[in-house]
Amino acid sequence: MTTEAERGWLTPMRARSAEERHRVSTPLELFFDLCFVAAVAQMVAPLHHDISEGHGRHGVSSFLLVFFAIWWAWMNFSWFASAYDTDDDVYRITAFVQIAGALVLAAGVKPAFDGGDFVVITIGYVIMRLAMVVQWTRAARSDAPRRATALRYAAGITGVQIGWLVRLALPEDWLVPAFLLLVAAELLVPVIAERAPGGPTTWHPHHIAERYGLFTIIMLGEAVSAATIAIRTGLDLGEHVPALVSLAVAGLVIVFALWWLYFDRSAGGLLTSLRVAMLWGYGHYFILASAAAVGAGLSVAVDHYSHPAHVTAVVAGYAVAVPVALYLFFVWLLHIRPHRRRPLVVAYLVGAALTLLAPLGPAPVHVVAGLLTVLVAITATLGRRRTPAP
């Protein structure tokens, strides 16, 4: 670890210990997360409007495509920083370049949603990823034992970015297949690089768990923000005030419960191997995207109450229920199932299934809030019972 006295313009990028004590997120990492909020906020608003206007398929597909770019750039920086955070001046400036790329990406969200124009988003994404090439090149120069690993990362990222730029020139019919192919290539880069002869990078399990937890909080915070703006707009109309207040309370209960269920226990102890950690990290795409999409869903529910929307009550209910159910399923898969506590394993799956049925009845948002409250109660009781000693 580079101390404050040792930090300078350019210091050797030595690998940090995976067993370092008291490893926590740095101010730069927290600032990095905060700046990514702008891009996420730009995605949630058009998702909400597309669903409310009856264009749910377009909105969801655009949201998932754009969210991948944000999530993958954030994820790669976080794992790199866990192993090689020198906090020198060049490291900080390179991180700022990545933040700038995220803001460029945010500026391209509207054209992407409105007309399928991904030029600005691609440019912003490539800026973020090429900044990571600089970081990996530095690591290759300083960390001799893992030089092959770092060089594989640098070469793989560079090659895929060329692919993203080439995609801009492809015919429209090829865009989706090319996107899927490039996503697969992005996901394979760490899998191939971490298996280089020099061995994997020295990521810190508890630091990684904390980083993902902080980003999950940001996504849930975005859900609160989006729902608050929608409810305030509805209240300004002066109609349906009791229903909107009730909906606001139910929405808050949903977000509070989602936070509780994710953070009921630390995930650091689950990351026991590279394979497990990669699956855990990749699976968080669905947790993070679902958490952000809950805000859009609550906004759609507000639209349905406050003024005529182009969707039925069932569709408005599913705008909340689907992301909540996905969130529950992947929290179960990544956090609950590994502990093998049968009552909780069953409770989460039942909760997700009942959540998907809620929109078929009255007051679906309130029903979902009630189901999550019950699940929190089960988690707070059964989940904390100690296994009796043999």
Side-chain angles (χ1 to χ4, degrees), residues 33-374:
D33 293 354
L34 182 63
C35 291
F36 270 60
V37 173
V40 175
Q42 292 298 313
M43 290 184 286
V44 171
L47 174 61
H48 152 219
H49 292 300
D50 272 2
I51 297 175
S52 287
E53 296 298 324
H55 307 300
R57 177 180 294 182
H58 173 267
V60 171
S61 61
S62 298
F63 173 80
L64 294 176
L65 295 181
V66 177
F67 191 84
F68 173 82
I70 288 293
W71 165 74
W72 189 244
W74 174 88
M75 177 175 167
N76 277 250
F77 172 80
S78 297
W79 283 77
F80 178 88
S82 188
Y84 291 108
D85 184 2
T86 57
D87 197 33
D88 59 20
D89 297 339
V90 174
Y91 179 87
R92 290 182 174 188
I93 292 171
T94 308
F96 291 161
V97 172
Q98 290 178 269
I99 291 172
L103 298 180
V104 172
L105 188 152
V109 169
K110 189 176 185 338
F113 270 84
D114 291 348
D117 182 0
F118 282 84
V119 173
V120 177
I121 281 183
T122 301
I123 292 172
Y125 179 74
V126 170
I127 290 172
M128 290 189 288
R129 301 297 284 135
L130 290 182
M132 280 307 307
V133 173
V134 174
Q135 300 281 39
W136 283 113
T137 302
R138 288 190 61 196
R141 290 183 58 188
S142 301
D143 187 9
R146 298 170 188 83
R147 182 165 295 153
T149 302
L151 289 176
R152 283 192 184 188
Y153 268 110
I157 293 171
T158 301
V160 179
Q161 300 327 295
I162 293 173
W164 286 115
L165 294 174
V166 169
R167 178 179 177 272
L168 296 176
L170 294 178
E172 185 174 351
D173 292 344
W174 292 15
L175 293 181
V176 172
F179 176 86
L180 297 176
L181 179 63
L182 289 167
V183 165
E186 291 277 20
L187 296 175
L188 282 173
V189 169
V191 175
I192 296 171
E194 293 286 344
R195 285 167 171 74
T201 52
T202 57
W203 49 273
H204 193 290
H206 291 281
H207 176 244
I208 288 295
E210 182 193 34
R211 297 293 296 122
Y212 276 81
L214 291 172
F215 207 54
T216 301
I217 289 174
I218 288 177
M219 296 302 102
L220 292 174
E222 182 54 44
V224 173
S225 176
T228 300
I229 293 172
I231 290 170
R232 184 193 65 197
T233 302
L235 292 176
D236 288 343
L237 298 175
E239 299 178 357
H240 310 288
V241 173
L244 288 173
V245 171
S246 175
L247 185 64
V249 173
L252 282 177
V253 170
I254 288 173
V255 176
F256 293 163
L258 296 180
W259 176 90
W260 189 304
L261 296 173
Y262 183 93
F263 290 100
D264 185 66
R265 63 184 64 208
S266 173
L270 298 176
L271 309 184
T272 55
S273 68
L274 177 63
R275 177 180 175 276
V276 171
M278 279 193 169
L279 292 174
W280 185 88
Y282 285 9
H284 266 73
Y285 169 80
F286 300 97
I287 291 179
L288 296 168
S290 298
V294 166
L298 291 172
S299 298
V300 173
V302 171
D303 283 353
H304 188 75
Y305 270 103
S306 58
H307 58 76
H310 297 284
V311 293
T312 64
V314 173
V315 172
Y318 273 116
V320 176
V322 169
V324 168
L326 283 173
Y327 184 98
L328 291 179
F329 176 79
F330 281 95
V331 168
W332 166 81
L333 183 66
L334 302 178
H335 284 193
I336 303 302
R337 184 172 172 272
H339 288 291
R340 302 184 185 279
R341 291 179 178 267
R342 185 169 179 80
L344 282 184
V345 168
V346 173
Y348 273 71
L349 291 179
V350 171
L354 292 177
T355 295
L356 290 176
L357 294 176
L360 302 179
V365 176
H366 299 78
V367 172
V368 171
L371 290 171
L372 291 178
T373 301
V374 172

Side-chain angles (χ1 to χ4, degrees), residues 368-390:
V368 171
L371 290 171
L372 291 178
T373 301
V374 172
L375 189 55
V376 167
I378 293 173
T379 300
T381 52
L382 297 179
R384 294 179 186 173
R385 290 181 180 175
R386 294 180 178 272
T387 304

